[in-house]
């Protein structure tokens, strides 16, 4: 057993609900409950240590009749509701949590908090709960968090993130020394930008034309931890657009992730890179995916996209998904050339509702992966779609849409385009000079984005609630 670290993700909608519930005009303290989903990461791919991530799943108010007393320095309430919370958490395999405010003080755990919580933690463990989480909302939007891991021991958070259209990650320790390599971007975004970007953990799924450009940009931006996921080796037809690839890589049968890792290392900033040669649905990738702060979806594969679409909702990890549609002109028909960047997170319409993934195609891809012979047979009989001519691809367009995607991340982190955060769905038309934001409504009863049941739900069996 290594040293376990803890981080907490609050979905923006939950953080807002808590701030509203806990605000008192007279400046007195207030409290509420919260239920967390967990990501129980056996081995963080960068630190090789275990990591627990708690993701907010549901806010549970403490009702007025449960309140006993409160002032600017204390709050007490009856434990009836707490017993109900423990029961619900146990039954639904969630982690119970407390939130209280220090309206006029810092976010920290006082000795009074230690005493009170130790008592509540004892009750939680006696009731068979996994643990008891606790958050303090202090002045100036500061948040402190910890998890009682036994009746006597607590684990403090290494970071607390508030995840919505803005990505707000507060790391407790800054591991970074300044480097002149990144000085010019600090000149634009301020001195806090580089420490934040260097503590960031980003997964890139798909390392072809768009993915390699995304990786190249993230590397030079200084993203400290990169996870590259792709199953493929490079071939001659990829050389026109995979950044960093060389003809000799084709001759040597090199994997795309290894080519990109080589380039990252040669850059020399010290970005920590891990590579995984696997398809995104492979169970061996779960620790890697769950350890990320943000994911870029750069695959062409419908089943992979559907997996990431669910994943973003279960774990509150934003997915920035990219796609291109390139059609040549024919007689009487103009070029049709468009790129898309979509941000998927709880609260945004999902990729299914947007109509950019096809469940049918996904099923065909699954068959192709599991039983290539049967896939070919059905394809020859025209029962399945896909596997047709390879799509056209030109480096300027794959790279351009990668820039749109990474700009969206920078917008989420800095708000340079305003406080609204990341745009849900951005379309760039290359055949015209045009960028547009185009969103949609969630389809009624969409099992991913039109229900809060899976938002922040974390680990469930089977993984992501998907059988098979
Ligand atoms: Zn307190
Ligand atoms: Zn949906």
């Amino acid at each position: 057993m290594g040293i376990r670290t803890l981080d907490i993700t609050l979905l923006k909608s939950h953080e807002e609900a808590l701030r509203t519930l806990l605000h008192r005009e007279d400046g007195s303290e207030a409290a509420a409950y919260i239920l967390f989903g967990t990501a129980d990461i056996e081995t963080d791919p960068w630190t090789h240590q275990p990591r627990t991530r708690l993701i907010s799943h549901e806010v549970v108010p403490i009702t007025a009749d449960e309140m006993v007393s409160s002032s600017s320095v204390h709050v007490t309430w009856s434990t009836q509701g707490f017993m109900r919370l423990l029961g619900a958490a146990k039954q639904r395999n969630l982690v119970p949590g407390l939130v209280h405010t220090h309206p006029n003080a810092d976010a920290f755990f006082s000795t009074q908090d230690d005493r009170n919580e130790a008592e509540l933690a004892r009750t939680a463990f006696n009731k068979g709960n996994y643990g008891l989480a606790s958050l303090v909302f202090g002045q100036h939007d500061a948040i402190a968090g910890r998890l009682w891991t036994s009746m006597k021991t607590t684990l403090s958070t290494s970071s607390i993130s508030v995840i919505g259209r803005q990505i707000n990650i507060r790391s407790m320790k800054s591991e970074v020394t300044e480097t002149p390599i990144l000085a010019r971007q600090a000149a634009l975004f301020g001195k806090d930008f580089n420490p934040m970007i260097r503590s960031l953990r980003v997964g890139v799924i798909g390392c072809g034309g768009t993915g390699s450009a995304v990786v190249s940009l993230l590397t030079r931006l200084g993203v400290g931890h990169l996870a590259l996921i792709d199953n493929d080796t490079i071939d001659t037809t990829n050389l026109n657009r995979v950044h960093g690839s060389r003809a000799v890589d084709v001759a040597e049968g090199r994997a795309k992730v290894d080519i990109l890792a080589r380039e990252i290392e040669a850059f020399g900033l010290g970005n920590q890179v891990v590579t995984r040669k696997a398809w995104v649905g492979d169970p061996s990738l779960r620790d890697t995916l769950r350890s990320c702060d943000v994911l870029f979806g750069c695959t062409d594969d419908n089943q992979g996209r559907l997996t990431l679409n669910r994943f973003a909702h279960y774990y509150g990890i934003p997915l920035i998904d990219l796609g291109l549609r390139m059609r040549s002109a024919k007689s009487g028909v103009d070029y049709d050339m468009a790129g898309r960047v979509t941000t998927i997170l709880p609260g945004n319409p999902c990729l299914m509702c947007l109509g950019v993934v096809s469940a049918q195609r996904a099923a065909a891809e699954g068959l192709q992966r599991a039983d290539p012979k049967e896939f070919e047979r059905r394809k020859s009989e025209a029962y399945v779609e896909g596997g047709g001519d390879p799509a056209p691809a030109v480096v300027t367009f794959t790279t351009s849409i990668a820039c749109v995607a990474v700009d969206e991340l920078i917008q989420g982190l800095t708000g340079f385009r305003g406080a609204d955060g990341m745009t849900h769905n951005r379309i760039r038309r290359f055949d015209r000079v045009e960028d547009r934001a185009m969103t949609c409504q969630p389809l009624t009863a969409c099992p991913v984005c039109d229900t809060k049941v899976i938002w922040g739900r974390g680990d469930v069996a089977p993984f992501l609630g998907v059988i098979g």
Side-chain angles (χ1 to χ4, degrees):
M1 269 297 278
I3 303 157
R4 182 170 289 278
T5 51
L6 170 72
D7 40 54
I8 293 181
T9 297
L10 289 175
L11 300 185
K12 183 69 189 167
S13 55
H14 293 145
E15 191 239 14
E16 280 174 347
L18 284 166
R19 291 210 183 275
T20 306
L21 269 176
L22 300 179
H23 179 75
R24 297 287 180 276
E25 282 304 333
D26 64 359
S28 59
E29 289 193 9
Y33 301 125
I34 184 164
L35 289 166
F36 288 100
T38 47
D40 223 332
I41 297 157
E42 210 171 303
T43 312
D44 174 298
W46 291 285
T47 64
H48 309 291
Q49 304 292 335
R51 169 181 291 272
T52 298
R53 185 174 279 183
L54 301 179
I55 314 108
S56 65
H57 177 62
E58 190 182 327
V59 170
V60 182
I62 294 174
T63 54
D65 58 301
E66 290 173 75
M67 291 303 299
V68 176
S69 69
S70 72
S71 73
S72 64
V73 292
H74 91 290
V75 55
T76 51
W77 64 94
S78 83
T79 52
Q80 232 173 13
F82 185 66
M83 300 310 278
R84 275 199 305 274
L85 181 85
L86 294 182
K90 173 118 200 301
Q91 196 201 353
R92 294 160 64 192
N93 213 10
L94 296 163
V95 174
L98 314 163
V99 187
H100 79 280
T101 55
H102 290 175
N104 308 304
D106 292 336
F108 73 105
F109 293 96
S110 66
T111 49
Q112 183 67 43
D113 293 336
D114 291 346
R115 273 197 300 274
N116 294 349
E117 286 180 17
E119 190 66 26
L120 297 170
R122 196 160 57 92
T123 311
F125 282 104
N126 284 338
K127 280 272 211 167
N129 281 272
Y130 172 98
L132 176 69
S134 176
L135 293 172
V136 177
F137 281 20
Q139 59 189 359
H140 312 306
D141 288 348
I143 306 176
R146 65 181 176 185
L147 175 68
W148 289 81
T149 50
S150 78
M151 294 183 196
K152 298 227 164 79
T153 53
T154 61
L155 188 57
S156 298
T157 52
S158 59
S159 83
I160 297 178
S161 309
V162 179
I163 297 298
R165 290 183 176 191
Q166 291 175 318
I167 300 171
N168 184 344
I169 301 174
R170 308 132 188 250
S171 278
M172 300 305 135
K173 58 175 173 64
S174 176
E175 49 192 86
V176 183
T177 49
E178 282 192 38
T179 161
I181 297 175
L182 302 176
R184 297 295 185 90
Q185 64 192 33
L188 189 63
F189 293 129
K191 64 174 173 43
D192 294 338
F193 182 75
N194 286 338
M196 170 181 59
I197 207 90
R198 296 196 68 188
S199 64
L200 202 64
R201 304 157 149 259
V202 179
V204 180
I205 298 98
C207 294
T210 54
S212 66
V214 164
V215 169
S216 169
L217 295 166
L218 295 175
T219 302
R220 274 171 212 279
L221 204 54
V223 169
H225 310 82
L226 289 161
L228 314 182
I229 297 167
D230 195 304
N231 221 351
D232 286 347
T233 49
I234 194 97
D235 73 40
T236 309
T237 67
N238 302 142
L239 291 173
N240 79 327
R241 62 192 184 281
V242 173
H243 289 245
S245 67
R246 307 169 190 179
V248 65
D249 295 329
V250 177
E252 290 172 359
R254 201 159 294 216
K256 289 176 181 169
V257 292
D258 292 336
I259 293 167
L260 300 189
R262 173 186 69 201
E263 300 302 303
I264 293 165
E265 271 150 33
F267 173 50
L269 183 67
N271 320 66
Q272 295 177 44
V273 55
V274 297
T275 55
R276 298 285 183 268
K277 289 164 207 163
W279 176 69
V280 65
D282 192 314
S284 70
L285 291 179
R286 288 174 191 170
D287 275 0
T288 301
L289 293 172
R290 293 182 301 164
S291 298
C292 289
D293 298 315
V294 179
L295 299 173
F296 281 86
C298 305
T299 74
D300 247 348
D301 120 55
N302 288 269
Q303 208 185 18
R305 280 212 176 98
L306 284 180
T307 303
L308 293 172
N309 191 49
R310 292 182 81 82
F311 183 87
H313 286 84
Y314 268 85
Y315 290 98
I317 297 176
L319 166 69
I320 302 177
D321 187 75
L322 295 71
L324 285 161
R325 184 186 65 220
M326 292 280 144
R327 281 179 206 140
S328 193
K330 292 185 207 90
S331 63
V333 185
D334 290 339
Y335 281 101
D336 178 9
M337 300 158 63
R340 170 188 58 80
V341 171
T342 311
T343 52
I344 298 299
L345 48 93
N348 276 357
C350 78
L351 289 174
M352 285 195 299
C353 292
L354 206 55
V356 299
V357 282
S358 144
Q360 256 176 332
R361 286 268 172 101
E365 289 160 5
L367 179 65
Q368 190 172 19
R369 204 170 285 112
D371 188 350
K373 259 191 175 159
E374 177 64 13
F375 173 79
E376 288 305 325
R377 193 185 66 77
R378 291 198 205 171
K379 202 179 100 186
S380 67
E381 292 170 18
Y383 285 132
V384 295
E385 285 183 74
D389 288 339
V394 176
V395 65
T396 54
F397 307 124
T398 50
T399 303
S400 172
I401 207 67
C403 287
V404 174
V406 177
D407 282 350
E408 213 59 56
L409 172 65
I410 298 173
Q411 158 63 0
L413 293 169
T414 68
F416 75 93
R417 289 175 177 149
D420 285 347
M422 299 183 288
T423 295
H424 172 231
N425 189 45
R426 195 180 281 286
I427 307 287
R428 173 166 290 185
R429 292 288 300 255
F430 299 106
D431 51 349
R432 304 173 203 159
V433 182
E434 184 183 282
D435 269 8
R436 280 204 291 172
M438 267 178 56
T439 190
C440 70
Q441 290 299 315
L443 297 177
T444 305
C446 172
V448 176
C449 69
D450 192 40
T451 161
K452 294 188 170 135
V453 172
I454 68 168
W455 298 4
R457 188 62 186 79
D459 295 342
V460 294
F463 187 67
L464 303 180
V466 179
I467 296 157

